[in-house]
């Protein structure tokens, strides 16, 4: 699931997966701490089946390969569909939580009444992400789902500030703009045959530059620089959206042996954070304040 940028600051850290093809699942396992994958058994079985015997087994081999390819395609489709479905549910939960929080003076008073409260929320977000990483390593669907659900609620608490700072029409326009560009880049990531690993690496480097620039701008306090940072961040996360979509597809194709729902939830969190960062920076760039 990778180290995440704090979406409230508009950024997150992402671990890069540079391998492609059959090695992609091995990179994922090493990154998440799984150890050896089970996919080798699949390839060994296929290789063993294709060893020529004393009879012509080409018909059976072709039939096996056709069935195996169909099964793999179905698995990839299911995993990717699951990732987008879980992401949508998480966004819905975040939105509902944000609206309820913004409508409650009591909750707002507790949440934003002191820096301690906000610090607790930020620490909770970090802890949840770490717990989600552990859940993926243990291939636990239930724990992954619960932590993702809790994370979307906690994130909704902090995102409630946008309903206080911006007009409803600005929020609506920013959301649909984010959904449109996100959808386009996710589609590109799904259908392209080009390896987007290099693009993901460049975006990661770019985000480090954005972090440094943002820290400098805290001292400078330049509005123009803040707008420029938001614009660059949007572009970077659009690139990461395509990269993450392709990454989910490759992990699904690699047949790692882990639960499909776990991979879907992991991918959903990646896409969820991409979308949130795109949305927050769009509204910072073009939103109308109250």
């Amino acid at each position: 699931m990778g180290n995440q940028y704090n979406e409230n600051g508009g950024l997150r850290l992402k671990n890069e997966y540079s391998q492609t093809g059959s090695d992609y699942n091995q990179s994922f396992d090493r990154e998440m701490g799984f150890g050896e994958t089970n996919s080798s058994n699949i390839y060994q079985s296929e290789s063993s089946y294709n060893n020529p015997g004393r009879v012509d087994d080409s018909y059976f081999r072709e039939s096996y390969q056709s069935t195996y390819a169909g099964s793999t395609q179905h698995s990839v489709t299911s995993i990717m569909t699951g990732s987008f479905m879980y992401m949508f549910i998480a966004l819905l939960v975040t939105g509902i939580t944000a609206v309820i929080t913004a409508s409650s003076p009591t909750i707002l008073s507790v949440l934003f009444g002191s820096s301690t409260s906000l610090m607790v929320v930020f620490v909770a977000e970090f802890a949840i992400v770490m717990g989600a990483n552990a859940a993926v390593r243990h291939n636990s669907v239930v724990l992954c789902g619960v932590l993702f659900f809790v994370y979307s609620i906690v994130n909704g608490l902090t995102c409630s500030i946008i309903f206080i700072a911006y007009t409803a029409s600005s929020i609506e326009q920013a959301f649909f703009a984010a959904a449109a560009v996100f959808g386009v880049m996710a589609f590109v990531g799904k259908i392209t045959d080009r390896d987007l690993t290099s693009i993901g690496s460049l975006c990661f480097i770019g985000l480090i530059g954005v972090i440094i620039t943002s820290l400098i701008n805290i001292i400078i306090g330049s509005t123009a620089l803040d707008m420029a940072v938001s614009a660059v961040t949007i572009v970077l996360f659009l690139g990461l959206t395509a990269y993450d979509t392709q990454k989910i597809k490759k992990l699904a194709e690699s047949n790692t042996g882990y639960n499909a729902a776990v991979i879907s939830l992991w991918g959903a969190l990646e896409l969820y954070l991409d979308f949130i960062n795109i949305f927050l920076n769009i509204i910072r760039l073009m939103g109308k304040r109250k």
Side-chain angles (χ1 to χ4, degrees):
M1 208 168 292
N3 296 324
Q4 309 300 327
Y5 274 94
N6 185 340
E7 62 274 18
N8 304 292
L11 302 170
R12 65 190 173 96
L13 294 175
K14 299 175 64 64
N15 290 322
E16 297 304 309
Y17 298 83
S18 59
Q19 288 84 359
T20 58
S22 62
D23 291 336
Y24 206 87
N25 56 319
Q26 297 176 13
S27 173
F28 177 68
D29 287 348
R30 289 194 298 268
E31 190 71 27
M32 301 308 298
F34 283 105
E36 295 298 325
T37 68
N38 295 327
S39 59
S40 60
N41 294 333
I42 296 174
Y43 299 116
Q44 290 171 1
S45 297
E46 185 176 357
S47 175
S48 176
Y49 185 90
N50 288 332
N51 286 335
R54 289 176 294 178
V55 297
D56 183 4
D57 62 350
S58 60
Y59 170 80
F60 301 100
R61 182 166 62 251
E62 291 173 2
S63 176
Y64 167 81
Q65 292 173 337
S66 176
T67 302
Y68 179 76
S71 176
T72 301
Q73 182 61 41
H74 176 72
S75 176
V76 171
T77 302
S78 298
I79 289 174
M80 297 198 70
T81 300
S83 289
F84 284 99
M85 179 186 70
Y86 293 139
M87 183 200 76
F88 174 78
I89 294 173
L91 288 173
L92 185 62
V93 171
T94 297
I96 293 174
T97 303
V99 170
I100 293 175
T101 302
S103 303
S104 173
T106 302
I107 299 178
L108 289 175
S109 177
V110 172
L111 183 61
F112 299 104
S114 67
S115 57
T116 303
S117 299
L118 284 176
M119 183 61 66
V120 169
V121 173
F122 292 148
V123 171
E125 287 185 327
F126 180 77
I128 292 170
V129 170
M130 294 300 98
N133 274 308
V136 171
R137 287 195 297 269
H138 289 85
N139 206 23
S140 175
V141 177
V142 174
L143 187 56
C144 282
V146 170
L147 289 175
F148 191 19
F149 178 76
V150 173
Y151 185 80
S152 64
I153 293 177
V154 175
N155 195 40
L157 294 176
T158 55
C159 286
S160 62
I161 191 67
I162 68 173
F163 289 93
I164 301 173
Y166 297 95
T167 63
S169 60
S170 292
I171 295 173
E172 180 180 347
Q173 291 170 5
F175 178 83
F176 283 110
V181 293
F182 175 89
V184 170
M185 296 310 295
F187 180 74
V188 170
K190 184 180 185 300
I191 67 171
T192 185
D193 292 327
R194 178 185 176 184
D195 182 15
L196 301 180
T197 301
S198 59
I199 292 178
S201 299
L202 288 174
C203 289
F204 174 73
I205 295 172
L207 288 175
I208 294 176
V210 166
I211 294 175
I212 297 173
T213 304
S214 298
L215 293 175
I216 295 174
N217 196 42
I218 292 176
I219 300 174
I220 298 176
S222 171
T223 301
L225 183 57
D226 185 60
M227 294 297 100
V229 167
S230 294
V232 172
T233 303
I234 292 170
V235 173
L236 293 176
F237 274 100
L238 286 175
L240 288 171
T241 296
Y243 167 68
D244 286 337
T245 303
Q246 185 182 78
K247 185 165 62 177
I248 296 168
K249 178 182 177 182
K250 287 183 176 181
L251 288 173
E253 290 174 339
S254 65
N255 293 289
T256 58
Y258 306 116
N259 194 296
V262 169
I263 299 178
S264 291
L265 286 165
W266 171 81
L269 180 58
E270 294 285 292
L271 296 173
Y272 170 87
L273 290 171
D274 289 334
F275 183 90
I276 287 292
N277 280 281
I278 292 170
F279 168 69
L280 291 177
N281 282 281
I282 285 179
I283 200 168
R284 287 178 61 193
L285 196 63
M286 57 178 282
K288 183 178 180 181
R289 292 180 176 273
K290 291 183 178 179

